[in-house]
Amino acid sequence: MSSESSPSLKAGDHVFLVDGSSYIFRAYHALPPLTRKSDGLPVGAVAGFCNMLWKLLQEADETAAGVTPTHIAVIFDHSAKTFRNEIYDQYKAQRPEPPEDLIPQFGIIRDAVRAFNVASIEQPGYEADDIIATYACQAVEAGADVTIISSDKDLMQLVGPHVIMLDTMKNKRIAEPEVFEKFGVAPDKVVDVQSLAGDSVDNVPGVPGIGVKTAAQLINEYGDLETLLSRASEIKQTKRRENLIEFADQARISRRLVELDCNTPVDVPLADAAVRKLDGEKALAFLKAMEFTTLTRRVAETAGKDAGTVEAADLAIKGWDAPETAAPSGSSEKSVASPASGAGPAALAEARAAEIRAIPLDASAYECVRDVARLKAWIEDAFETGFVAVDTETTSLDPMEAELVGVSLSTAPGKACYIPLGHRDGEGDLLGGGGLLEGQIPLKEAIDLLKPLLEDAAVLKIAQNLKYDWVILKRLGIEVAPYDDTMLLSYTLDAGLQGGNGMDALSERWLGHTPIKYEDVCGKGKSAVTFDKIALDRACSYAAEDADVTLRLWQVLKCRLPGETMTTVYETLERPMVPVLSRMEMRGIHVDRQMLSRLSGELAQGAAALEAEIHEMAGETFNIGSPKQLGDLLFGRLGLPGGKKTKTGAWSTSVSVLEDLAAEGHPLPVKIVEWRQLTKLRSTYTDALPDHINRETGRVHTSYSLASTTTGRLSSSEPNLQNIPVRTEAGRKIRKAFVAAEGSKLLSADYSQIELRVLAHMAEIPQLVKAFADGLDIHAMTASEIFNVPVKDMDPMVRRRAKAINFGIIYGISAFGLANQLGISRGEAGDYIKTYFERFPGIRDYMEEMKRQVHANGYVTTIFGRKAHYPDVNTKNPNMRQFYERAAINAPIQGSAADIIRRAMVRMEDTLAASKLSAKMLLQVHDELIFEVPDEEVDATIPLVARTMEDAPSPALSLRVPLQVDARAAQNWDEAH
DNA sequence: CCTGCCCCATA
DNA sequence: GTATGGGGCAGGA
């Protein structure tokens, strides 16, 4: 800070004195607890402060102050104890500690002041108010005018002909009339009134029974405090008279407490607070570090600098612990703390939600944007706001064949629009609809206008299930960034909680609002029409409401992340998956239509032959595909033994039942199992897959869901490419139809035993850890441990049993389940489990710990901190309860493995690009990634992919066991796997 | 025409 | 025993 002497103040100067300390409290309580940096640092008050300061520096004349300052200083309280505590030890004694997330902001605001090259003033032993009083007196003496930026009533005593106050939050000027209105006396008598009335907030005692009204009346009558006290005996009202006499000294002490000191020793002469030139670099570095995108842009414009070239400042923040890189592992006690209690983050989030709920939601009030001028206005608004909720309306749920019909935007709760672009006449001809409706901006023109906004780094785009819109917009040449996804926010925070993460459910849960249903707009089933056929006003209500709801959900959900320490999970495991999966879906995979068609024919023939045989053997024709008819035949008419009932009381005809019958020597069930397999393969795969081949790309594009499992796994649908057969020879023929493009190979890389490795890590099982480290056969090792047999020359049946137990452990083993799986008695299965736990006591400890946690918290966590909620685990139904307990045992294992492959996927594209390799990730099947690789790059790609997958946990975590990835390339998926 | 049930494909 | 998605049947609209 400058210490050389500056020209002293002169008449006509205008001094702005900003009451920094009171501003931060007011900003904190007035602004919603929404604003946080991506690392969770709360910066809402800082943001408010910076905007205010910037406005004062740039356009103070447009505020209620009406002038531009020549001098400006921000004044802070230095310490809690001041000379007033020596006068009265109770002064401000009952003031509560500042809220936890406000504390780190005190220091940052001082940084902000310096970043804007403004004088920051504080003085040990004195309150900000005294320094302000001193500066104000000095300025007035020099003939200058003063504006005090504060609304603190304690400063109103300073108001006079040359001193006003400015409440920037209300943009309200406080001069003599306003002071008179508040205290009933002129500013120079305010101290007398306060001395009598006291102040419960600052613990100024005053005189009992006298408030501001009475005090003003008394002062107006007697002139000033001393006169009043000396003539107190004249007061008519008994109690008031007695109190004024008895508490006269207390009133005098109060006067000394409230009267501001105009003679504070100040180290920095006011002249040094002359407005200085903005240091663009310094300001931008600070603002970038704070992630205040809008203000960064404004300052960059004003300073004529490119914000992109400025490095964010490195701010060491005291009193704030950023969330850990990896959240505590499942066995940590730290996760016990309930986020739902007291005035913690959960309460703040709830307060936030209540606030947003209170803003009316009226679907008929949205704007339908029909011309370029209005579209530009909305785009400008989004740039100003710095964030915008975006939603697209299209002709199909499949983003790869959907056509864009319109776009909706929202920049504030209740403020949303819909931009129709592709609506057509509902009375279309048979060739696919009528012409475009009038009054719509041409698609290309709208896209050209929207692209800069949707790709601008300074504007956050908010969507519900962005992956869909991302693909739609990418096909139109727009790559949306940066972005947030409300569905993923909800999934990160509440995976497994009732209702799911769909927009309608979230709107109900958080906003108490039922959005217009898609079916109510477009109809459903056979009579459904595509969105382009919907009349504009109806379309606008529906579409704009979605954007409005999305924006509100974002405001409710985003601020929960840091308080629930889920920022890292969201930022590393969820958010970055959106473009990764979008690109995978867009690439699709090539399937050989002819091969499938041929296979379908073969399967049909085989099934027909079996059908004839079955009918022959049964002695009647019946529908083999009807479990009901089949059950009646086998256990009714044929009277076979060993029938089991399903939970609804029908005969079970599942494979296990049919195999039991086959083992008894009945030939019919064998044929039925074969028939089932063939028809299943045909209907589910060979016949269904070709229907999913995209007309334009000639490839199959699955859709991955990021938010539909409780554990963190993805799911795949339309078509589901995560359940393509592999176990049987007939099934593998279907895999052979998944082929690489000409000149390429399919590369399959899969984690070996990843869930068992994760379990070995989490439960810290020495034998398992060692076995994995040594690269042993883990099932054989298990068998050796529990059945006490050597690994060498092991009976394959013994190994099979151990393998089943290992899987059972992952699933939260029960004797019942294991017995079923191995076809042994429950007693025998129970013995196996008992032995297993004796050999691996850590496994039992792990299981018990997960059960304890799920009962205590309602959720369990993966090694990367992902939560899986089981809200109903405390049910009284013992079967349900045990079911949830098993799920809670399984979730950290399955979920941690899912986290690991997510990390690999997020990193994969950059890793390949860095090595100049052009392999493209196409599919994910839980522990396997499938790539399409040019022939000549196969050899270089295999080790790189494998290493990236194996190293995926680091640097966040280092597992106790190595991960192993097997990778292979071939012309088709079957041979690569 | 929709929904619940059964069955079955994968990890 | 965990986690999914999907096809066919059958009953109730």
Side-chain angles (χ1 to χ4, degrees):
Chain A
M1 198 164 295
S2 158
S3 60
E4 67 226 58
S5 67
S6 317
S8 51
L9 255 65
K10 57 183 188 299
D13 280 349
H14 203 118
V15 180
F16 275 28
L17 300 171
V18 182
D19 182 0
S21 295
S22 85
Y23 186 89
I24 185 170
F25 275 100
R26 269 190 87 211
Y28 177 81
H29 291 292
L31 299 171
L34 172 71
T35 315
R36 285 181 187 256
K37 230 151 72 63
S38 55
D39 63 0
L41 180 72
V43 289
V46 181
F49 181 86
C50 287
N51 283 316
M52 181 272 291
L53 189 56
W54 179 246
K55 200 171 171 70
L56 286 183
L57 291 169
Q58 293 302 307
E59 47 196 39
D61 57 322
E62 288 175 24
T63 69
V67 292
T68 303
T70 58
H71 295 69
I72 184 163
V74 183
I75 295 104
F76 296 101
D77 291 325
H78 181 84
S79 44
K81 293 270 183 252
T82 67
F83 69 90
R84 289 190 176 80
N85 293 103
E86 288 167 23
I87 300 170
Y88 184 63
D89 61 358
Q90 288 302 298
Y91 178 69
K92 292 194 176 177
Q94 63 188 30
R95 183 159 292 199
E97 284 294 304
E100 200 176 327
D101 57 340
L102 177 56
I103 293 170
Q105 303 195 54
F106 290 117
I108 306 173
I109 287 200
R110 285 163 170 80
D111 288 338
V113 176
R114 284 187 283 273
F116 281 105
N117 217 5
V118 168
S120 166
I121 314 280
E122 51 197 286
Q123 196 82 23
Y126 292 90
E127 289 182 57
D129 290 357
D130 293 306
I131 301 168
I132 291 171
T134 303
Y135 279 148
C137 290
Q138 290 174 1
V140 171
E141 217 162 286
D145 288 322
V146 176
T147 298
I148 298 168
I149 317 301
S150 176
S151 59
D152 189 342
K153 61 180 175 3
D154 295 340
L155 287 166
M156 290 185 182
Q157 56 182 280
L158 298 173
V159 169
H162 294 285
V163 180
I164 63 155
M165 291 171 66
L166 173 65
D167 179 349
T168 53
M169 286 180 145
K170 295 181 183 155
N171 194 26
K172 188 182 161 206
R173 193 183 134 100
I174 302 165
E176 292 184 66
E178 286 79 19
V179 175
F180 193 89
E181 195 182 320
K182 175 144 185 92
F183 284 103
V185 294
D188 62 332
K189 301 290 184 213
V190 163
V191 172
D192 294 331
V193 169
Q194 287 183 293
S195 313
L196 289 168
D199 185 335
S200 58
V201 176
D202 291 348
N203 233 9
V204 172
V207 174
I210 296 185
V212 171
K213 285 266 163 61
T214 313
Q217 182 202 322
L218 289 168
I219 295 298
N220 281 331
E221 192 176 337
Y222 291 88
D224 60 49
L225 181 67
E226 270 314 316
T227 314
L228 169 67
L229 293 177
S230 59
R231 292 167 58 189
S233 53
E234 299 170 19
I235 306 274
K236 288 194 202 75
Q237 297 90 333
T238 321
K239 194 68 197 165
R240 187 175 296 174
R241 181 178 63 242
E242 286 171 7
N243 277 346
L244 277 167
I245 293 167
E246 186 183 347
F247 294 101
D249 278 347
Q250 191 168 303
R252 293 191 179 97
I253 290 173
S254 299
R255 191 173 207 287
R256 292 173 65 197
L257 292 176
V258 296
E259 187 169 39
L260 297 177
D261 182 0
C262 258
N263 295 303
T264 310
V266 286
D267 294 340
V268 182
L270 185 52
D272 282 3
V275 171
R276 303 167 211 168
K277 194 171 174 308
L278 176 75
D279 181 342
E281 295 267 339
K282 197 158 85 174
L284 288 173
F286 173 83
L287 293 170
K288 275 187 89 166
M290 286 293 111
E291 300 168 5
F292 298 158
T293 48
T294 308
L295 193 54
T296 302
R297 189 163 39 74
R298 286 189 194 149
V299 172
E301 276 169 23
T302 307
K305 293 223 181 286
D306 179 1
T309 64
V310 177
E311 194 82 25
D314 184 13
L315 298 164
I317 310 299
K318 293 192 189 106
W320 170 255
D321 295 317
E324 299 162 62
T325 309
S329 77
S331 57
S332 164
E333 283 297 319
K334 201 168 169 181
S335 53
V336 175
S338 163
S341 62
L348 287 176
E350 184 40 49
R352 179 67 180 155
E355 221 171 280
I356 290 164
R357 270 197 295 272
I359 303 168
L361 214 156
D362 176 5
S364 64
Y366 302 119
E367 177 181 346
C368 187
V369 173
R370 310 288 291 269
D371 57 59
V372 169
R374 288 305 304 150
L375 176 55
K376 283 181 172 168
W378 275 95
I379 290 172
E380 181 53 32
D381 181 26
F383 270 111
E384 280 292 312
T385 310
F387 55 81
V388 58
V390 182
D391 189 29
T392 60
E393 301 302 334
T394 67
T395 53
S396 168
L397 279 173
D398 175 357
M400 280 305 288
E401 60 175 41
E403 296 298 327
L404 185 64
V405 173
V407 177
S408 43
L409 305 174
S410 171
T411 55
K415 184 178 173 188
C417 71
Y418 177 60
I419 309 147
L421 299 170
H423 285 260
R424 288 166 192 279
D425 193 340
E427 311 300 313
D429 57 37
L430 293 172
L431 293 173
L436 280 178
L437 291 181
E438 297 281 305
Q440 298 181 91
I441 302 169
L443 180 73
K444 175 156 184 346
E445 201 173 348
I447 291 298
D448 288 346
L449 288 169
L450 285 166
K451 183 177 160 79
L453 172 72
L454 298 180
E455 295 185 344
D456 193 298
V459 184
L460 181 72
K461 271 66 68 176
I462 300 155
Q464 165 77 11
N465 187 18
L466 174 64
K467 181 164 63 64
Y468 178 86
D469 309 87
W470 201 96
V471 171
I472 297 287
L473 291 166
K474 177 69 182 175
R475 287 174 54 220
L476 293 161
I478 296 175
E479 231 175 80
V480 178
Y483 59 84
D484 259 334
D485 188 328
T486 47
M487 185 181 77
L488 296 184
L489 284 169
S490 169
Y491 181 61
T492 306
L493 292 160
D494 297 329
L497 257 45
Q498 284 279 297
N501 313 100
M503 197 187 75
D504 290 355
L506 293 180
S507 179
E508 291 281 1
R509 191 190 309 164
W510 291 102
L511 309 175
H513 171 76
T514 311
I516 305 170
K517 289 195 171 47
Y518 180 81
E519 283 112 33
D520 294 346
V521 178
C522 295
K524 56 177 180 172
K526 213 178 164 185
S527 58
V529 296
T530 47
F531 202 79
D532 56 331
K533 302 296 194 309
I534 304 302
L536 292 193
D537 54 347
R538 185 92 181 109
C540 175
S541 299
Y542 169 81
E545 184 189 58
D546 275 4
D548 186 9
V549 166
T550 301
L551 186 85
R552 292 172 194 241
L553 289 174
W554 177 71
Q555 295 188 323
V556 172
L557 296 171
K558 183 74 188 276
C559 62
R560 287 177 56 203
L561 285 180
E564 298 172 40
T565 46
M566 294 304 283
T567 306
T568 307
V569 170
Y570 175 70
E571 290 293 339
T572 63
L573 299 175
E574 301 293 344
R575 214 174 59 81
M577 289 292 283
V578 173
V580 173
L581 290 181
S582 296
R583 284 190 272 265
M584 288 168 65
E585 293 180 9
M586 289 184 76
R587 287 175 197 129
I589 188 167
H590 186 242
V591 301
D592 186 329
R593 190 193 286 270
Q594 262 88 49
M595 201 186 279
L596 287 178
S597 157
R598 220 179 309 125
L599 195 52
S600 176
E602 289 172 18
L603 291 168
Q605 264 189 320
L610 282 166
E611 189 174 330
E613 274 190 75
I614 289 165
H615 288 160
E616 170 74 33
M617 290 162 84
E620 64 172 329
T621 58
F622 66 103
N623 186 346
I624 310 169
S626 163
K628 184 171 146 58
Q629 292 183 31
L630 181 61
D632 287 346
L633 174 82
L634 294 175
F635 304 108
R637 204 173 67 77
L638 298 182
L640 299 186
K644 281 192 243 173
K645 293 289 182 76
T646 67
K647 64 178 167 194
T648 46
W651 291 112
S652 170
T653 62
S654 66
V655 234
S656 66
V657 171
L658 297 180
E659 276 173 352
D660 286 350
L661 292 176
E664 303 264 324
H666 299 284
L668 183 55
V670 183
K671 298 290 174 191
I672 290 167
V673 169
E674 284 177 38
W675 180 89
R676 280 234 186 108
Q677 192 194 25
L678 300 191
T679 52
K680 168 82 177 177
L681 293 176
R682 196 165 96 100
S683 65
T684 310
Y685 302 103
T686 62
D687 287 2
L689 273 175
D691 295 341
H692 288 284
I693 297 175
N694 185 286
R695 287 170 188 284
E696 279 175 46
T697 66
R699 291 164 73 103
V700 174
H701 307 264
T702 183
S703 173
Y704 288 104
S705 171
L706 264 165
S708 55
T709 72
T710 311
T711 54
R713 273 193 179 179
L714 304 179
S715 76
S716 159
S717 62
E718 291 178 285
N720 181 355
L721 296 186
Q722 290 182 321
N723 70 346
I724 302 301
V726 70
R727 295 204 234 261
T728 65
E729 183 51 42
R732 280 198 292 276
K733 287 184 180 168
I734 290 162
R735 260 185 195 228
K736 286 186 200 299
F738 287 76
V739 291
E742 189 73 20
S744 295
K745 294 277 182 291
L746 288 184
L747 165 59
S748 161
D750 66 300
Y751 285 105
S752 161
Q753 312 280 9
I754 189 169
E755 295 191 344
L756 270 181
R757 287 173 199 259
V758 164
L759 175 64
H761 167 80
M762 287 196 295
E764 302 183 45
I765 309 301
Q767 304 100 304
L768 293 180
V769 169
K770 182 161 191 322
F772 280 125
D774 296 346
L776 300 184
D777 176 339
I778 200 70
H779 300 310
M781 190 285 289
T782 307
S784 170
E785 285 272 352
I786 51 180
F787 301 117
N788 233 339
V789 294
V791 170
K792 198 168 179 302
D793 301 324
M794 181 175 285
D795 179 354
M797 282 307 292
V798 173
R799 185 179 177 280
R800 194 180 76 87
R801 263 180 283 171
K803 184 175 175 179
I805 297 173
N806 277 335
F807 274 99
I809 294 295
I810 289 168
Y811 299 152
I813 203 155
S814 75
F816 180 83
L818 184 63
N820 257 346
Q821 178 67 30
L822 287 176
I824 56 180
S825 75
R826 275 179 67 176
E828 200 178 349
D831 288 344
Y832 286 177
I833 295 168
K834 189 158 164 275
T835 314
Y836 188 98
F837 283 154
E838 280 165 10
R839 300 300 299 150
F840 307 105
I843 300 274
R844 182 168 43 198
D845 295 345
Y846 164 83
M847 290 179 158
E848 291 304 318
E849 175 60 14
M850 291 307 113
K851 286 197 256 180
R852 188 194 68 74
Q853 283 186 22
V854 76
H855 284 296
N857 305 333
Y859 64 85
V860 288
T861 60
T862 67
I863 51 180
F864 293 95
R866 172 193 301 285
K867 288 177 186 167
H869 294 265
Y870 297 94
D872 299 327
V873 70
N874 287 314
T875 172
K876 272 181 267 172
N877 179 332
N879 285 328
M880 291 301 288
R881 194 181 167 93
Q882 283 166 20
F883 169 76
Y884 288 123
E885 286 173 351
R886 287 192 299 272
I889 288 166
N890 172 257
I893 305 170
Q894 190 185 110
S896 297
D899 291 348
I900 290 170
I901 197 167
R902 278 178 186 239
R903 290 176 64 94
M905 293 171 75
V906 166
R907 219 171 278 177
M908 193 60 76
E909 296 187 353
D910 284 349
T911 307
L912 289 167
S915 297
K916 303 250 188 309
L917 292 172
S918 48
K920 300 285 180 247
M921 201 159 35
L922 305 186
L923 302 178
Q924 189 251 42
V925 192
H926 309 307
D927 65 357
E928 175 188 16
L929 293 174
I930 291 98
F931 302 79
E932 196 165 35
V933 190
D935 291 333
E936 64 278 12
E937 292 184 12
V938 166
D939 291 345
T941 304
I942 287 178
L944 187 73
V945 162
R947 203 173 342 113
T948 304
M949 290 171 72
E950 287 167 355
D951 293 346
S954 106
L957 276 180
S958 166
L959 300 192
R960 294 178 184 86
V961 291
L963 292 180
Q964 189 195 316
V965 169
D966 301 319
R968 202 160 27 168
Q971 199 55 49
N972 67 63
W973 190 3
D974 179 49
E975 285 162 37
H977 184 75

